[in-house]
Amino acid sequence: MYKPIEIADGVFSVGCRDWDIRDFHGYSTYEGTTYNAFLVLGEKNVLIDTVKEHFGDELLANISRIIDPKLIDIVISNHTEMDHSGAIPKLMHKIGEDKPIYCSKMGAKNLEAHFNRKFNFQVVGTGDTLKIGNRTFSFLDTKMLHWPDSMFTYLVEDAILFSSDAFGQHYAGDMFFDDEIGDEIMPHARKYYANILNHFSPRVQALLKDVAKLNLKIDMICPDHGILWRENPSKIIDAYDKWSRQEPTRKVVVLFDSMWKSTAKMAQAITSGVESEDVNVRLMNTRKWHRSDIMTEVLDAGAIAVGSPTLNNNIFPVIADVMTYIKGLRPQNMLAAAFGSYGWSGEAVKILNKDFEEMKLTIIDPGVKIQYVPDEADLERCFELGIKLAKTLKEKLS
Ligand code: FEO
């Protein structure tokens, strides 16, 4: 439990920290996360979002430190994924099952499906507002950021944007604001974007344009995960603009797995080839790096080289895991090349090339296959592949 924080006059952060979570559906959360929820006091008391189911009691305890939870009049559900809606049944049981829940059309459908019952849903969408005393809650559909139901709630007079998953980070600590933690938070925000939102980058671009058109004054952004942006909200907006453009940079990511160190040697030689052209490179052994950390490096890469030995006429299981994960997050505008050692059948390079095609990456070379153990000439071919990747990338960026 943490002491609720008054983030603006009559607006409290009442959510929970999950110190222990280390895997968030496949994403490594080394520093836990938070499920942020916000209580806005006024003529009617409003709770924006809830928390994971098993943090329900903690949420109610946090609210109780400010008001009796029964005094909550209205719930706003910006997003129905269970990390933000799981505690809704417990909350509604406590505050009164007939109290209204403001949510998107899809939000109402999802909440009914999640909990197998209808609440008093008040469906809202872009342009709708809820006026309570001297406060106005304005709603904005943000479909697919992160689910079809997602929406933002903007508290007009306070200039606070409650942004649900967007602009979040998986970070649980003793700091709650950007000015307290400083730049240390940006790698968490970057990893979050790469692993949660990258595949929706075109929608992020469209949303940023829509928000710019609205010309909203934004003094604070309150996401549902991590720290709140109050000192410089435009910093995270600018970062989202940059990441969602999916523009390649002068960086190559070399991924590999290896059975008897042959593919590892090939990966090393490719890496040296890239470096010889003065292009940045990240060599990542997929047994040592978590898939979500690999994806974070892929976010701004201009090229990717993937190496796998052939095992049972297929690619290695760990490579299949990483490729499936990366493919789902749809990185764009990348060059690609495959490599790998094999014993007799050697399908891995072909399978990786098929993956690249499905991902709509630009394959710059048929790939390098080496039988058993690479000799000096084989490693020279790998070195040349690294040079080719780097040179093609430089030409593309020039
Ligand atoms: Fe934090 Fe899409 O839930």
Side-chain angles (χ1 to χ4, degrees):
M1 193 196 299
Y2 67 79
K3 188 168 171 276
I5 304 163
E6 189 164 20
I7 60 172
D9 191 22
V11 183
F12 295 83
S13 179
V14 291
C16 304
R17 281 176 290 190
D18 189 344
W19 298 99
D20 294 337
I21 189 168
R22 289 293 176 272
D23 184 307
F24 201 101
H25 41 57
Y27 169 152
S28 63
T29 47
Y30 303 122
E31 296 201 46
T33 193
T34 68
Y35 312 113
N36 298 338
F38 303 94
L39 180 64
V40 185
L41 302 184
E43 283 178 20
K44 287 187 175 172
N45 300 314
V46 178
L47 181 70
I48 302 176
D49 288 325
T50 71
V51 295
K52 251 187 181 174
E53 184 185 11
H54 67 275
F55 286 90
D57 287 334
E58 189 175 322
L59 173 69
L60 290 171
N62 288 345
I63 294 167
S64 298
R65 296 175 80 158
I66 305 161
I67 57 166
D68 181 340
K70 292 193 184 86
L71 297 176
I72 292 172
D73 301 290
I74 291 168
V75 176
I76 294 173
S77 172
N78 276 333
H79 178 27
T80 62
E81 191 166 5
M82 298 294 240
D83 47 335
H84 311 296
S85 71
I88 282 181
K90 179 167 271 188
L91 175 84
M92 300 311 285
H93 182 70
K94 181 82 175 175
I95 71 174
E97 304 271 349
D98 58 341
K99 300 255 173 97
I101 298 179
Y102 283 72
C103 58
S104 66
K105 189 175 171 190
M106 187 62 83
K109 209 171 156 187
N110 287 1
L111 290 173
E112 187 180 342
H114 285 342
F115 304 119
N116 200 24
R117 66 173 123 152
K118 283 185 199 290
F119 292 99
N120 176 9
F121 296 124
Q122 300 296 314
V123 170
V124 288
T126 297
D128 289 335
T129 56
L130 169 65
K131 185 96 181 141
I132 299 175
N134 57 4
R135 277 201 164 109
T136 313
F137 297 77
S138 175
F139 304 102
L140 177 66
D141 287 317
T142 58
K143 194 174 175 186
M144 301 319 295
L145 300 177
H146 160 233
W147 274 11
D149 61 276
S150 296
M151 65 179 199
F152 287 176
T153 298
Y154 175 60
L155 202 48
V156 178
E157 292 76 11
D158 301 83
I160 301 176
L161 185 68
F162 297 96
S163 62
S164 182
D165 276 339
F167 309 122
Q169 338 85 46
H170 285 313
Y171 166 82
D174 53 3
M175 289 173 277
F176 297 96
F177 296 100
D178 55 345
D179 48 290
E180 293 172 345
I181 194 165
D183 279 343
E184 215 181 286
I185 199 64
M186 292 313 287
H188 296 285
R190 179 169 172 254
K191 180 171 177 176
Y192 184 96
Y193 186 87
N195 288 276
I196 305 279
L197 296 172
N198 188 63
H199 47 324
F200 300 126
S201 287
R203 285 190 183 271
V204 174
Q205 275 291 308
L207 176 70
L208 292 177
K209 285 189 177 77
D210 286 349
V211 171
K213 265 188 233 155
L214 292 171
N215 207 18
L216 298 182
K217 177 176 184 284
I218 299 177
D219 286 346
M220 196 182 313
I221 296 178
C222 298
D224 276 354
H225 296 289
I227 62 100
L228 315 181
W229 306 90
R230 70 176 175 188
E231 184 184 57
N232 186 9
S234 61
K235 184 172 184 172
I236 190 65
I237 294 175
D238 292 347
Y240 268 48
D241 184 30
K242 181 180 155 205
W243 295 328
S244 60
R245 287 176 191 274
Q246 297 190 289
E247 286 170 354
T249 65
R250 201 177 157 108
K251 168 176 153 187
V252 178
V253 175
V254 181
L255 308 178
F256 72 96
D257 197 350
S258 202
M259 195 185 313
W260 294 106
K261 295 194 169 63
S262 290
T263 306
K265 285 177 191 159
M266 296 172 76
Q268 285 282 359
I270 291 169
T271 300
S272 300
V274 173
E275 278 182 314
S276 74
E277 284 296 317
D278 249 348
V279 166
N280 299 327
V281 67
R282 293 288 279 164
L283 176 62
M284 305 183 94
N285 179 342
T286 54
R287 299 280 185 109
K288 311 285 183 192
W289 289 85
H290 193 275
R291 66 176 85 80
S292 54
D293 293 315
I294 291 171
M295 184 57 213
T296 308
E297 288 301 329
V298 166
L299 177 66
D300 62 354
I304 188 172
V306 183
S308 174
T310 295
L311 177 72
N312 303 331
N313 308 104
N314 216 321
I315 53 177
F316 248 37
V318 179
I319 291 290
D321 172 323
V322 171
M323 288 302 286
T324 301
Y325 187 76
I326 293 177
K327 203 193 286 185
L329 289 162
R330 289 183 221 152
Q332 300 291 304
N333 305 319
M334 277 202 308
L335 309 176
F339 61 98
S341 102
Y342 68 101
W344 47 98
S345 57
E347 289 89 345
V349 166
K350 192 173 154 199
I351 292 168
L352 288 169
N353 279 336
K354 192 159 171 282
D355 278 343
F356 295 152
E357 277 170 22
E358 286 170 7
M359 294 164 74
K360 299 188 171 48
L361 304 186
T362 305
I363 300 170
I364 59 113
D365 189 276
V368 178
K369 280 168 67 171
I370 303 287
Q371 193 167 22
Y372 292 117
V373 180
D375 61 18
E376 238 172 75
D378 294 329
L379 292 177
E380 185 58 30
R381 280 175 65 203
C382 293
F383 186 81
E384 291 299 327
L385 180 64
I387 289 178
K388 188 172 176 182
L389 261 177
K391 278 189 170 167
T392 315
L393 179 58
K394 284 196 284 189
E395 277 163 26
K396 183 179 169 179
L397 296 177
S398 65

